[in-house]
Amino acid sequence: MFPPFEFVFFYSRAPLCYYSAMSKAVAFYDELKDRLDYALSSWLRIEPSIDEEMATRTILGASAFLFDNLFAKEDAGRKLTAEISFDQGHFFVAKALSEKATLLRINMQSDLFPDGKSPLRDYLRWIVETEPEVASWSKDLYGQLAIVTIEELVNVFTSKPGKSEPLRVAELLFLNMTEVFCYAYRELLGPRFMGLKSSAYFLAVNEAMEGIRSEIRD
């Protein structure tokens, strides 16, 4: 069982038509930003520093680039760059975005990822003992992109000792950000989503989040 959590505000994602109103990758980037901000403020009570905020924008932008390159295939690089540059202002460094996208792609391809050490990897090893379907994240590119992105986000907020409890950060960002990936893939793929080798991972997390919301409404 996924453990219960405390939070104040109820997050409501953008309507389904949101993804068809603009570049899918740009819409995905915006959804990732919104959910991360929500998770930090309402679940974790973390107020990111400017450095942390810029780092996360780079990670999310790099992930959106890969989402476009691997799945949406709309050649949205220019639009994404403009969006990320606007967000980061004078902090924007195109090279950093490119390097982060390369790092994510390398981690997606690494057979050593499940055996490595990080707060998220430790959390995944723990949760699969009771939720074995979560392990299916590693079976295709869709799950791999979600996990390597979430790991980079978790690392931003757990790199300094004593600032935040690492497993709690990993747990809450895992749940929140996985749900965004799940929504985006389901919108992009339609019925084909259920055929993904990693669909069990996304559906398990989505079910857990729906259960949490139901408890709050009750």
Side-chain angles (χ1 to χ4, degrees):
M1 292 282 294
F2 289 100
F5 304 103
E6 297 179 2
F7 62 100
V8 177
F9 303 109
F10 178 75
Y11 178 86
S12 178
R13 78 181 187 92
L16 292 177
C17 62
Y18 183 59
Y19 283 93
S20 60
M22 64 175 77
S23 161
K24 292 180 176 64
V26 173
F28 178 56
Y29 170 70
D30 287 340
E31 273 287 277
L32 288 171
K33 284 193 306 177
D34 289 347
R35 179 61 74 92
L36 177 63
D37 291 345
Y38 162 78
L40 293 175
S41 63
S42 296
W43 291 57
L44 287 163
R45 305 295 196 272
I46 291 176
E47 184 174 348
S49 66
I50 188 64
D51 288 343
E52 290 170 336
E53 184 175 347
M54 293 304 104
T56 61
R57 295 303 188 251
T58 297
I59 294 164
L60 299 181
S63 185
F65 270 112
L66 292 176
F67 175 85
D68 178 66
N69 182 261
L70 296 171
F71 312 129
K73 299 187 182 300
E74 292 184 327
D75 195 20
R78 186 168 297 180
K79 293 179 180 178
L80 267 172
T81 299
E83 184 83 2
I84 299 161
S85 176
F86 177 80
D87 279 347
Q88 294 187 318
H90 67 274
F91 293 99
F92 176 72
V93 179
K95 183 179 179 181
L97 192 61
S98 175
E99 290 176 344
K100 186 62 68 174
T102 299
L103 175 64
L104 293 178
R105 192 69 181 96
I106 290 171
N107 285 340
M108 289 170 67
Q109 296 172 309
S110 175
D111 292 335
L112 301 177
F113 186 95
D115 300 321
K117 300 292 290 183
S118 75
L120 181 67
R121 299 183 205 201
D122 292 343
Y123 172 75
L124 288 172
R125 280 189 283 269
W126 172 71
I127 198 63
V128 297
E129 294 179 4
T130 54
E131 300 287 343
E133 60 272 26
V134 170
S136 68
W137 72 264
S138 64
K139 294 182 178 180
D140 60 29
L141 294 176
Y142 296 89
Q144 292 163 14
L145 178 59
I147 290 298
V148 300
T149 300
I150 296 166
E151 179 181 53
E152 288 295 305
L153 295 173
V154 171
N155 289 346
V156 169
F157 299 102
T158 58
S159 59
K160 296 179 181 178
K163 184 172 182 180
S164 301
E165 202 286 308
L167 282 182
R168 178 169 173 79
V169 174
E171 186 174 65
L172 298 184
L173 291 187
F174 169 78
L175 288 172
N176 275 277
M177 305 311 292
T178 291
E179 193 173 42
V180 179
F181 279 90
C182 179
Y183 286 145
Y185 292 153
R186 295 185 81 161
E187 182 66 18
L188 179 69
L189 299 173
R192 290 183 296 142
F193 171 82
M194 297 304 296
L196 295 183
K197 294 179 180 179
S198 62
S199 63
Y201 149 54
F202 292 108
L203 293 174
V205 174
N206 191 59
E207 182 179 356
M209 292 293 279
E210 289 300 326
I212 293 169
R213 293 192 181 100
S214 178
E215 289 181 9
I216 290 172
R217 287 193 292 267
D218 293 342

